[in-house]
Amino acid sequence: MISKANINKFKDLETPFYYYDMEVLRQTLDACRDASAKHGFHVHYAMKANFNPKVIDMIQSFGFGADCVSGNEVKAAIDHGFDKGKVVFAGVGKSDREINLALDAGIFCFNVESIQELEVINELAGAKGTRANVAIRINPNVDAHTHHFITTGLDENKFGINIWQLPDVAVALRACSNLQFLGIHFHIGSQITDLEVYKNLCTRINEMQDWFEDHGFQVKVLNAGGGLGVDYYSPDNDIADFENYFQVFKNFLNVKPGQEVHFELGRALVAQSASLISRVLYVKNGLKKNFLILDAGMTELIRPMLYQAYHQIENLSRSSEAGNPDAATSIKYDVVGPICESTDCFQKDVDMPESFRGDLIAVRTAGAYGEVMASGYNLRDRVGSVYSA
Ligand code: LLP
């Protein structure tokens, strides 16, 4: 809920900006830490979800590790105080420069996505006279039942190594003397709300660890990736279901003595902590359609345009919170941005109170893959950030 005090504060601020509710973030991190610590699980925050400096500072202060997908993310994590011994580095296309940077930083583990990449890391580590810890990212062919643009664990995805390639992985690992095999890594997709999917993942992880052990490799690390979803339809229902999520792994993963279980959560930690705050620039009434034209668009939050993602849209100036008696009158608007693209539409046919130029609009649940996916298209200004105390 965006409070009346905040709505009043926003009136004096230039829009658009991301508003971060640091208390929601704190409570979410707390809940995740408690639920994971109960089982001795290790959580690496997926930096890609949001690398706003204040956000990652707070996440770091909770003692989480970092999951990075670029050299710059590895660098940012370490610069912001994440323990290098808790940094993992994934990605299908790590460049030599990025691998060298991570080797120099002495990170915990590379999550390796192809046999060729294993060979390159081996060679670069050898050139430095060092050894690199690696986990094999396996493509488990488990359907995440999420939007096809954010599914990653099926055979036809570019990510990970397919199961039928594992015999070649074993040969490569034996030949690569500068690599230390740590374990196996998975990530099957994002915004997963059906916990059954994770049961299927556990079954596959159990099979895969048996395969490696049968072939003479000790599996120390089981990394189940991230993907836990949030409820975009209830932005005030802040906290994701960490308890039941981790409980699935506790119940269904076959964890052997000495093994560590790792996770890479992004969205579930940050999504509900931010809203994109914008103003109505113009109200355009057509014959069949009414448009609210905002001063924020796909350059500030691209998820609705890229993934047909739903984000709740609220007119803060006309809300009952703002003490407005007309909050009940409802008109259907297409809520659009100012960018010169027809796809620059947040949502069609939104029921809203009658809205006017200058009204403040909140696009909720925008803390994950929001600010970080902003672009400078149309030579737009960089979107600002405002934080609660
Ligand atoms: N680990 C790996 C290897 C990943 O690729 C990802 C996300 C995560 C962890 C974290 O997943 P999460 O817990 O946040 O679901 N931009 C899209 C989502 C892309 C996710 C990419 N990988 C969106 O806005 O929905």
Side-chain angles (χ1 to χ4, degrees), residues 79-90:
D79 288 351
H80 282 265
F82 283 90
D83 179 349
K84 63 183 169 50
K86 293 184 181 176
V87 171
V88 295
F89 184 13

Side-chain angles (χ1 to χ4, degrees), residues 60-208:
Q60 181 278 123
S61 75
F62 274 72
F64 293 112
D67 160 39
C68 304
V69 284
S70 72
N72 288 344
E73 283 190 4
V74 170
K75 190 171 173 316
I78 292 171
D79 288 351
H80 282 265
F82 283 90
D83 179 349
K84 63 183 169 50
K86 293 184 181 176
V87 171
V88 295
F89 184 13
V92 280
K94 303 177 188 78
S95 71
D96 293 17
R97 186 187 65 77
E98 291 176 310
I99 294 168
N100 277 325
L101 184 150
L103 286 170
D104 291 340
I107 63 164
F108 172 60
C109 190
F110 289 85
N111 292 331
V112 177
E113 309 227 8
S114 68
I115 293 173
Q116 197 169 30
E117 186 192 328
L118 270 181
E119 292 162 352
V120 170
I121 297 176
N122 181 57
E123 195 184 310
L124 295 174
K128 289 182 182 292
T130 181
R131 286 189 106 197
N133 286 340
V134 296
I136 302 298
R137 175 166 180 180
I138 301 172
N139 191 341
N141 203 21
V142 170
D143 192 343
H145 298 300
T146 184
H147 194 282
H148 59 282
F149 285 178
I150 50 176
T151 282
T152 50
L154 293 173
D155 270 348
E156 67 266 25
N157 288 124
K158 69 176 176 178
F159 300 100
I161 296 177
N162 288 321
I163 293 170
W164 51 268
Q165 292 169 304
L166 291 185
D168 292 338
V169 169
V171 172
L173 281 172
R174 286 196 193 96
C176 290
S177 55
N178 308 312
L179 301 183
Q180 175 67 47
F181 172 78
L182 274 196
I184 49 182
H185 170 243
F186 302 81
H187 174 76
I188 55 174
S190 201
Q191 183 50 18
I192 297 171
T193 48
D194 175 4
L195 292 181
E196 281 292 314
V197 166
Y198 285 114
K199 280 192 201 170
N200 299 338
L201 176 62
C202 287
T203 308
R204 202 48 65 86
I205 297 177
N206 292 338
E207 291 165 7
M208 292 298 104

Side-chain angles (χ1 to χ4, degrees), residues 96-348:
D96 293 17
R97 186 187 65 77
E98 291 176 310
I99 294 168
N100 277 325
L101 184 150
L103 286 170
D104 291 340
I107 63 164
F108 172 60
C109 190
F110 289 85
N111 292 331
V112 177
E113 309 227 8
S114 68
I115 293 173
Q116 197 169 30
E117 186 192 328
L118 270 181
E119 292 162 352
V120 170
I121 297 176
N122 181 57
E123 195 184 310
L124 295 174
K128 289 182 182 292
T130 181
R131 286 189 106 197
N133 286 340
V134 296
I136 302 298
R137 175 166 180 180
I138 301 172
N139 191 341
N141 203 21
V142 170
D143 192 343
H145 298 300
T146 184
H147 194 282
H148 59 282
F149 285 178
I150 50 176
T151 282
T152 50
L154 293 173
D155 270 348
E156 67 266 25
N157 288 124
K158 69 176 176 178
F159 300 100
I161 296 177
N162 288 321
I163 293 170
W164 51 268
Q165 292 169 304
L166 291 185
D168 292 338
V169 169
V171 172
L173 281 172
R174 286 196 193 96
C176 290
S177 55
N178 308 312
L179 301 183
Q180 175 67 47
F181 172 78
L182 274 196
I184 49 182
H185 170 243
F186 302 81
H187 174 76
I188 55 174
S190 201
Q191 183 50 18
I192 297 171
T193 48
D194 175 4
L195 292 181
E196 281 292 314
V197 166
Y198 285 114
K199 280 192 201 170
N200 299 338
L201 176 62
C202 287
T203 308
R204 202 48 65 86
I205 297 177
N206 292 338
E207 291 165 7
M208 292 298 104
Q209 64 159 324
D210 288 347
W211 188 95
F212 273 91
E213 302 218 315
D214 289 348
H215 288 77
F217 294 93
Q218 200 202 340
V219 181
K220 231 184 95 187
V221 168
L222 305 175
N223 184 334
L228 177 63
V230 299
D231 187 352
Y232 281 88
Y233 289 85
S234 309
D236 296 320
N237 180 14
D238 302 326
I239 316 257
D241 191 2
F242 297 114
E243 281 288 335
N244 284 319
Y245 170 72
F246 289 121
Q247 195 62 45
V248 169
F249 291 90
K250 176 71 189 168
N251 293 348
F252 296 96
L253 209 53
N254 180 14
V255 183
K256 298 178 184 159
Q259 273 184 338
E260 294 176 2
V261 184
H262 292 239
F263 295 88
E264 302 168 344
L265 292 173
R267 185 190 317 266
L269 294 178
V270 291
Q272 299 290 29
S273 65
S275 300
L276 174 63
I277 308 295
S278 170
R279 270 195 178 85
V280 176
L281 287 176
Y282 302 102
V283 184
K284 211 172 190 178
N285 296 317
L287 280 179
K288 293 189 180 151
K289 285 265 180 202
N290 301 305
F291 293 95
L292 283 190
I293 302 171
L294 307 187
D295 62 5
M298 62 194 286
T299 40
E300 285 68 44
L301 178 66
I302 201 173
R303 301 195 69 258
M305 301 77 181
L306 198 52
Y307 316 113
Q308 294 105 39
Y310 174 85
H311 287 258
Q312 191 161 298
I313 298 174
E314 297 167 8
N315 184 330
L316 298 179
S317 306
R318 308 285 147 196
S319 69
S320 45
E321 240 354 72
N324 200 295
D326 294 334
T329 36
S330 162
I331 295 185
K332 275 196 197 314
Y333 291 104
D334 280 12
V335 181
V336 304
I339 306 304
C340 297
E341 297 275 348
S342 303
T343 54
D344 186 33
C345 173
F346 286 108
Q347 206 182 310
K348 292 193 167 141

